C-alpha cells in the first residue's frame, strides 16, 4: 500500500524539509532575535552583561546591537528576546522614569524600577512582551545584593549551572566560600560568555559589560567569536 | 493443520505505516501532544570548484542540533573512492550512511571490474537510492572527482535531483558562499587561485550563517592523487579563559559507598585456533 508522504502536515499543507532554518506556517507577531544577558551582584557592585549579536533564523541582522540599557546612574537593565518588544519596553520604562522624576523630584531606585517593570509586564498579560529582563543595580545606600546572579536569553541554560557552581558554590564540598569581588565577577563573566559563544549559535560577536559601582556606570567591551 | 506463524519477506524501502499515527500524536490534544525527536542537522556551508587540473572541495566543520553546536570539528568531506570525494549537508546521519554505502558499492565494483570508478556511476547510484526514499533521507551532497574522462563536479539533492556544474555551494550557508563564487569564478584557474576561492566562499558562509562555523577543510582531487587538508584554515577565535576551572579531589560529596567482593567460582581454559599455531 503506497502512502504519499507529502499529504501530512497541518491543514493539508505540504511539510517542506527546507534548509533555511526555522520554518513559520502562520503569521506570528513574535520573532526570536537571540542574545544572552547576565547579571551578577556583590556587596558593593552590580554588573549587567550581554552579547551584541542580533540574529533571526540562521542570519545575522547586526553584530553591534547590545542588549544592556542604562536607566539611571545606579540601574542597568538587560533585555533579550524579540528585539521589537525590547525597544518598545525600554522606551516605555524610560518615559515612566522621566514622569517619576518630574512628579517626585528624585530618581527611581532600583527596587522601584523592578516593581514598576513587573506591573508593566503584567499589564500585557494576555499579549505579552516577548522579552527576558534582568535588572542590575545598587540600592539607595550604594549596596548591591551579596552573591546573586541570573542569566537570561538563548544561552541561559548553559551559563546558569556554571554560575550556580562558581558563585553559589553549589554541588561542591570542602571549598572555601570567598565572597565575590568585582574583579572575580568580571573575569567569570568574560570566561562564561566565551564558552557560551562556542556552543550557542545565537551568542557571539562581542560582549558588553556595564559595571555599576557608587562611582557610576562603566562599560567594557570584549570581542567574542564572530562565526 | 494451519501454520501458527507465517514468515513475512523483508520489505525494502521505508515503511510509511506509522506516518498517520505520528501526525496524530504530534498534532494531538494539548495534554497528549508528543514532540518527535529532532535529528541532528549539520547546518553547513559546502562548496566545490572545477579548476585546470581537477576539483577542489571545501566544507566548514560545525554540526548543530537546532541552536546548540554539537560538534566543533566534524568532517563533512567523505571518502567515496580514491579519486572521488563527497561533501554532505543536511541530516548528519543520512549523509554519513549514504556516503558509506556508496563507497562500499563502488569498492565492490572496483574489485569486480579492476577499474577505478567513474564519478557518473557514483551520481547514478546516489540518485537511484535517494529517489527511491522519496526525500526522506535528508542528504544534500556535492560529489567531485577525477576519472579517465576528466574532472567532474555534481550535486545530488535529497529528492534525487542531479546537476552537473563547474562551481557549486550547498547547505544553509550556500547563499553567502555562492555570492563569492559567482563573483570570482573563472574557467581553468590554477591550483592556488582555486583553493583561495573555495576557502573564501566557505569563510563567507562561516561568517554570515549561524549554522556554519569553526574551521575550513579542503580537499584537492587531481589525476595524480588527493590532498585532504584538514584543517585548511583554522578558526581565528581562540579566546583564552582567564581562570582555571579545576576541581580538587574531594569536591564531589560522596553519599554512600558499597563494595561488592567478586568471588571466583569456576575457571575454564579453552584453546583457540589462531593463524600462528599448527
Amino acid at each position: 500500500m503506497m502512502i504519499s508522504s507529502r499529504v501530512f502536515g497541518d491543514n493539508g499543507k505540504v511539510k517542506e524539509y527546507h534548509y533555511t532554518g526555522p520554518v513559520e506556517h502562520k503569521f506570528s507577531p513574535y520573532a526570536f532575535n537571540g542574545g544572552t544577558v547576565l547579571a551578577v551582584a556583590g556587596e558593593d557592585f552590580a554588573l549587567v552583561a550581554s552579547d551584541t549579536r542580533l540574529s533571526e533564523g540562521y542570519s545575522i541582522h547586526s553584530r553591534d546591537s547590545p542588549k544592556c540599557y542604562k536607566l539611571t546612574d545606579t540601574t542597568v537593565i538587560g533585555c533579550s528576546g524579540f528585539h521589537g518588544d525590547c525597544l518598545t519596553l525600554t522606551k516605555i520604562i524610560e518615559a515612566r522614569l522621566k514622569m517619576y522624576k518630574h512628579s517626585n523630584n528624585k530618581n527611581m531606585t532600583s527596587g522601584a524600577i523592578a516593581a514598576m517593570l513587573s506591573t508593566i509586564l503584567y499589564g500585557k498579560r494576555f499579549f505579552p512582551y516577548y522579552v527576558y529582563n534582568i535588572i542590575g543595580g545598587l540600592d539607595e545606600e550604594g549596596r548591591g545584593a551579596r552573591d546573586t546572579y541570573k542569566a537570561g536569553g538563548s544561552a541561559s541554560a548553559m551559563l546558569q549551572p556554571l554560575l550556580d557552581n562558581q558563585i553559589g558554590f553549589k554541588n561542591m564540598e570542602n571549598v572555601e566560600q570567598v565572597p565575590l569581588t568585582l574583579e572575580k565577577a568580571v573575569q567569570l563573566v568574560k570566561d562564561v560568555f566565551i564558552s557560551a559563544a562556542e556552543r550557542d549559535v545565537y551568542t557571539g560577536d562581542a560582549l558588553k559589560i556595564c559595571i555599576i559601582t557608587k562611582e557610576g556606570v562603566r562599560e567594557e567591551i570584549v570581542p567574542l567569536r564572530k562565526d | 493443520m494451519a501454520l501458527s506463524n507465517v514468515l513475512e519477506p523483508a520489505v525494502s524501502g521505508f515503511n510509511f505505516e506509522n506516518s498517520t499515527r505520528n501526525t496524530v500524536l504530534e498534532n494531538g490534544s494539548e495534554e497528549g501532544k508528543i514532540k518527535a525527536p529532532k535529528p541532528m542537522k549539520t547546518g553547513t556551508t559546502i562548496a566545490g570548484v572545477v579548476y585546470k587540473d581537477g576539483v577542489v572541495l571545501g566544507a566548514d566543520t560545525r554540526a548543530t542540533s537546532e541552536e546548540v553546536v554539537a560538534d566543533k570539528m566534524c568532517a563533512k568531506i567523505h571518502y567515496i573512492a580514491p579519486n572521488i570525494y563527497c561533501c554532505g549537508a543536511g541530516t548528519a546521519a543520512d549523509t554519513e550512511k549514504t556516503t558509506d554505502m556508496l563507497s562500499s558499492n563502488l569498492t565492490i565494483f572496483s574489485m569486480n571490474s579492476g577499474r577505478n570508478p567513474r564519478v557518473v556511476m557514483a551520481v547514478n547510484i546516489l540518485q537511484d537510492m535517494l529517489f527511491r526514499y522519496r526525500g526522506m533521507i535528508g542528504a544534500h551532497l556535492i560529489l567531485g572527482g577525477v576519472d579517465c574522462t576528466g574532472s567532474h563536479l555534481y550535486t545530488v539533492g535529497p529528492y534525487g535531483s542531479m546537476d552537473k556544474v563547474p562551481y557549486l555551494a550547498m547547505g544553509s550557508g550556500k547563499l553567502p558562499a555562492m555570492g563569492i563564487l559567482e563573483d570570482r569564478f573563472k574557467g581553468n584557474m590554477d591550483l592556488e587561485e582555486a583553493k583561495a576561492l573555495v576557502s573564501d566562499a566557505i569563510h563567507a558562509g562561516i561568517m554570515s550563517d549561524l549554522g556554519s562555523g569553526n574551521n575550513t577543510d579542503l580537499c584537492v582531487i587531481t589525476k595524480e592523487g588527493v590532498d585532504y587538508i584538514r584543517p585548511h584554515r583554522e578558526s581565528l577565535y581562540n579566546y583564552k579563559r582567564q581562570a582555571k576551572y579545576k576541581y580538587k579531589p574531594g569536591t564531589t560529596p560522596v553519599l554512600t559507598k558499597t563494595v561488592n567482593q567478586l568471588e571466583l567460582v569456576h575457571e575454564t581454559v579453552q584453546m583457540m585456533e589462531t593463524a600462528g599455531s599448527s
Side-chain angles (χ1 to χ4, degrees), chain A residues 27 64 67 71 76 119 128 148 156 176 182 201 206-209:
Chain A
F27 169 69
D64 186 18
K67 297 165 190 62
L71 298 177
V76 174
T119 43
T148 36
S156 58
E176 195 196 340
L182 177 56
V201 302
L207 163 66
K208 180 166 165 190
I209 314 181

Side-chain angles (χ1 to χ4, degrees), chain A residues 5 19 53 55 58 63 165-166 172-174 187-188 191 194-195 198-202 224-227, chain B residues 43 62 67-70 72 90 136 172 206-207 209-210 214 235 237 241-243 245 247 250-251 253:
Chain A
S5 65
Y19 225 74
R53 173 177 282 176
S55 45
Y58 274 132
R63 295 195 196 268
N165 180 262
Q166 294 291 311
M172 288 203 297
E173 265 181 14
N174 309 320
Q187 168 243 327
L188 197 57
D191 285 349
I194 290 175
S195 300
E198 290 279 324
R199 288 287 176 174
D200 181 32
V201 302
Y202 296 124
L224 291 176
R225 293 186 79 99
K226 292 186 167 34
D227 61 3
Chain B
R62 173 183 283 182
E67 64 186 38
V68 179
V69 176
K72 295 192 267 192
M136 290 281 153
S172 59
I206 285 176
M207 296 302 278
D209 175 44
L210 296 178
N214 298 94
S235 158
Y237 310 111
R241 314 277 184 293
Q242 297 185 344
Y245 297 95
Y247 300 98
T251 308

Side-chain angles (χ1 to χ4, degrees), chain A residues 204-216:
Chain A
D205 291 325
L207 163 66
K208 180 166 165 190
I209 314 181
C210 296
I211 303 168
I212 312 154
T213 49
K214 61 179 191 304
E215 277 87 50

Side-chain angles (χ1 to χ4, degrees), chain B residues 200-249:
Chain B
D200 287 346
I202 303 289
H203 185 68
I206 285 176
M207 296 302 278
S208 311
D209 175 44
L210 296 178
S212 318
N214 298 94
N215 309 330
T216 307
D217 290 347
L218 276 195
C219 183
V220 181
I221 311 172
T222 53
K223 219 168 41 216
E224 284 78 48
V226 170
D227 186 13
Y228 193 121
I229 313 167
R230 175 173 157 85
H232 167 75
R233 184 195 277 192
E234 282 206 326
S235 158
L236 322 150
Y237 310 111
N238 272 323
Y239 294 114
K240 295 263 173 287
R241 314 277 184 293
Q242 297 185 344
K244 294 242 176 294
Y245 297 95
K246 289 237 176 274
Y247 300 98
K248 289 197 286 291

